[in-house]
Amino acid sequence: MNHFITLNDLPQLDTAVAAAIAMKKNPYGAEDLGRRKTLGMLFFNPSLRTRLSTQKAAQQLGIKTMVMNFSNEAWALEFEDGTQMSGLRSEHVKEAAQVVSQYCDMVAIRAFASLSDKKNDEAEIVLNSFAKYASIPVINMESATAHPLQALADAITITVHQKKKRPKVVLTWAPHPKALPHAVGNSFTRMMHRMDADFVIAQPKGQELNPEITKDTPLFYNQEEALEGADFVYTKNWCSYSDYGKILTTASDWMLTPEKMKLTNDAKFMHCLPIRRNIVVADGVLDHPNSLVIEQANNRTFAAQVVLHNFLNNG
Ligand code: CP
């Protein structure tokens, strides 16, 4: 593994999930492995879970962390090659990535989608530029199109809670007042294709994710039909992909409620957090004993720990 940018950078999923579950039982078992190693953490966007869980994972491996909010603390970065830098951008990523590589042994980066330029977002300019110019491994802490650490935490959570070999897993779109990216929905879909799951997605017309990613997934436009017999229900908002970045509908009748959960097979409820109560999901679902959201957040630590451990093991 040179970098951890997409789930393709994690070839052995079963091994990674088993290792994470073992680390959760013995979090400090490899505390000396990261001695005198440094993880740089660069945030172009806010975070609660990703920041703290990745720092916690590093601590448990004996790694020191250096955190920087690039949105307001660093020089504004230029990403285009061959440009005359006469504008507001003071530093080129070519130098920045090489400089960070002098101080750190690994660098983790969060850089969300702009939601204004699909082509640019899909090119993953920030992550790929760092991967191109850095001489150290680059770890994705949520990029424009992917959130692989979240998807790995979700896989760990499902593995621990599944009662049958092939559970029914429903990813259902939810209403939201803000346009949100596709990263979580994309990575969860890719992860479900790698797990043995009867996986379906429900969304209103026009709210489909990237068809390249969902091409092997049954799509439902009737949420209640999709929920029937579900063992896990993952709810998430994402903006329109076809009319990129737009909120086409606020469809409040797509909020997940206790009444809708009665259609399921006593399903566990999942969400990556943060979540807007009584917009995305009713209190009665989020506060129900079947809600796994806090455990998912806890599993973020062990997802990150497995990835960091792999890099340390590979020298
Ligand atoms: N789920 C997740 O990535 O949370 P944060 O945005 O708080 O890091």
Side-chain angles (χ1 to χ4, degrees), residues 46-51 110 112 142 147 150 272-274 300:
S47 168
L48 190 160
R49 281 143 290 273
T50 304
R51 178 166 171 167
R110 166 164 281 203
F112 287 174
E142 189 173 342
H147 198 354
Q150 180 67 52
C272 59
L273 304 182
R300 289 292 308 274

Side-chain angles (χ1 to χ4, degrees), residues 115 170-176 178-186 188-189 199-210 214 219-221 234-249 254 271 280:
L115 297 182
V170 180
L171 172 63
T172 175
W173 180 91
H176 202 280
K178 264 179 75 182
L180 296 187
H182 303 104
V184 170
N186 288 346
F188 188 70
T189 300
F199 176 60
V200 306
I201 304 178
Q203 70 275 286
K205 282 263 182 229
Q207 287 300 142
E208 298 85 356
L209 290 164
N210 180 351
T214 61
L219 301 183
F220 284 73
Y221 296 97
Y234 199 120
T235 185
K236 182 75 186 86
N237 172 269
W238 53 85
C239 64
S240 175
Y241 180 79
S242 52
D243 197 354
Y244 192 65
K246 301 278 184 331
I247 300 176
L248 299 184
T249 174
W254 278 71
H271 189 282
V280 170

Side-chain angles (χ1 to χ4, degrees), residues 17-29:
V17 169
I21 292 169
M23 281 176 194
K24 195 170 177 178
K25 290 183 184 138
N26 183 20
Y28 291 97

Side-chain angles (χ1 to χ4, degrees), residues 156-181:
I156 295 163
T157 310
I158 289 176
T159 301
V160 168
H161 284 277
Q162 70 184 79
K163 292 185 188 137
K164 52 171 99 138
K165 191 175 173 313
R166 188 176 166 77
K168 179 172 178 182
V169 181
V170 180
L171 172 63
T172 175
W173 180 91
H176 202 280
K178 264 179 75 182
L180 296 187

